Amino acid sequence: MSLTGIELIGHLAFFLTAISFWLKDMLLLRYIAVASAFVGITYNYSIDVGPLWLPILWRCGFSLINVLRHGGINTAPEYV
């Protein structure tokens, strides 16, 4: 069984998602989640059956949430 380039991109997207579930650092988790979303968008846009707009739109939405939450984490006061 040989994988095509687009299949490798799809696997990379899910691998990055799995890594983000493993992380404890919220900022790094969000960076990896956004990277996973962009790789997933590339996959869903480039597959042979044509662009799959439903997962593309959901991944865009989740990326926006992660970017906004990332900004909130960076600007929140730290309590010790």
Side-chain angles (χ1 to χ4, degrees):
M1 176 179 149
S2 64
L3 295 175
T4 64
I6 194 65
E7 289 173 329
L8 289 173
I9 291 172
H11 286 295
L12 177 61
F14 283 110
F15 181 73
L16 289 171
T17 299
I19 297 264
S20 74
F21 289 148
W22 190 266
L23 296 172
K24 293 181 182 179
D25 181 343
M26 289 302 291
L27 290 177
L28 184 57
L29 180 154
R30 293 190 185 281
Y31 284 132
I32 299 296
V34 170
S36 170
F38 284 120
V39 173
I41 289 168
T42 301
Y43 171 77
N44 284 298
Y45 187 81
S46 302
I47 59 174
D48 291 338
V49 296
L52 297 177
W53 292 109
L54 183 65
I56 289 171
L57 292 174
W58 275 104
R59 287 181 177 272
C60 288
F62 289 140
S63 293
L64 179 63
I65 290 169
N66 276 311
V67 168
L68 293 174
R69 293 292 296 157
H70 177 274
I73 291 171
N74 275 341
T75 60
E78 296 215 16
Y79 296 101
V80 178

